[in-house]
Amino acid sequence: MSATEPGGHAPRAVQRALALLEAVATLGSGASARDVAALTKIPPATAYRLLNLLVADGYLVRVEDLSGFALGRRTRELAGAQPPEPVDDPAPVLDELREQVRHGIYLASYSGGRARIVDRDPDHELSGESMWTRHLHASAIGKLLLVQRPELIAQGPFHRITERTKTDPAEIAVELKRVRDEGAACEIDESRIGRTALAVPVRSGDGRITGALAAIGRTGRLVADDEAL
């Protein structure tokens, strides 16, 4: 085998990447990772990893509300087609932030009253992710969603995840007012002891909050009121 010939799992990975592109084209703009994986019969974890690689290389982009994928500029150029509508690709912003910030950078999407992590920092493993998406009152990303969707607060009760988790309704109301006034949310040891997070909203062109961008790090190293951060 020559040095230029693909070997190992490379041909299989190429086939899967092409299948993912075809699935997005079939499902249309906004195709979710779950639907794409189901259509291609590729394991979800593998599909998600390859989708992120295709986004990073410009073959796919995330749709405005961050809930799914659309064909990117490089794919459209190969097909000689024009985009049906403009879409913003957050990948360059995420890459730049990850180069400048020593903490983990994560992108979340808000859809159907739920928060989902749609882009994970490859250099910083996030444990206990379900706490972020299930217990909104205990996470920075969740607090931003509660500010946007206050009716979700009535779905309590508020579980105490750690000794620092705020569970009293009056205390949570004060916390959400602070988030609303400052336009950012933070958590310190609330979803996991030893973890601090700062989150800011991601907005669509008409001002709607469609997701959040969060910096996550070890408590004491990441300071929530760090102006530079």
Side-chain angles (χ1 to χ4, degrees):
M1 180 184 298
S2 70
T4 59
E5 291 179 341
H9 299 290
R12 181 62 170 163
V14 171
Q15 291 173 345
R16 285 179 164 178
L18 291 174
L20 292 174
L21 289 174
E22 184 177 1
V24 172
T26 300
L27 293 169
S29 180
S32 69
R34 178 180 299 178
D35 289 342
V36 171
L39 182 61
T40 57
K41 295 182 173 56
I42 295 174
T46 301
Y48 182 80
R49 178 175 57 82
L50 290 174
L51 286 168
N52 277 336
L53 289 174
L54 290 169
V55 168
D57 287 341
Y59 291 103
L60 292 176
V61 295
R62 295 189 182 278
V63 297
E64 187 179 60
D65 66 359
L66 309 177
S67 62
F69 300 87
L71 297 180
R73 173 185 55 81
R74 296 184 70 179
T75 302
R76 294 192 303 270
E77 288 176 349
L78 288 174
Q82 295 298 320
E85 58 183 42
V87 291
D88 294 325
D89 181 5
V93 177
L94 294 174
D95 291 342
E96 182 178 354
L97 281 173
R98 286 165 179 161
E99 290 179 358
Q100 297 179 4
V101 178
R102 62 179 178 175
H103 310 293
I105 298 295
Y106 294 82
L107 183 66
S109 169
Y110 297 151
S111 178
R114 298 179 58 194
R116 296 188 301 113
I117 305 296
V118 296
D119 198 302
R120 297 162 176 79
D121 194 316
D123 297 323
H124 297 267
E125 182 178 355
L126 179 63
S127 57
E129 181 181 315
S130 62
M131 293 298 179
W132 278 52
T133 56
R134 289 169 48 204
H135 304 289
L136 301 178
H137 65 291
S139 73
I141 285 177
K143 292 174 186 179
L144 284 174
L145 178 56
L146 289 177
V147 167
Q148 180 192 18
R149 299 283 303 275
E151 70 274 12
L152 297 176
I153 300 175
Q155 297 181 6
F158 300 114
H159 297 284
R160 187 176 299 280
I161 311 305
T162 75
E163 60 185 21
R164 297 291 301 275
T165 306
K166 299 177 178 65
T167 58
D168 180 71
E171 189 177 18
I172 291 175
V174 171
E175 174 74 358
L176 295 183
K177 182 180 184 303
R178 183 192 64 76
V179 173
R180 188 181 299 107
D181 292 342
E182 296 182 0
C186 71
E187 61 167 292
I188 304 174
D189 299 336
E190 294 177 56
S191 65
R192 189 178 184 88
I193 294 295
R195 183 164 71 195
T196 293
L198 175 66
V200 293
V202 174
R203 299 181 183 273
S204 62
D206 59 5
R208 292 180 298 108
I209 298 178
T210 58
L213 189 64
I216 307 172
R218 185 179 298 277
T219 297
R221 294 183 182 178
L222 191 159
V223 181
D225 59 359
D226 181 344
E227 293 185 3
L229 179 60

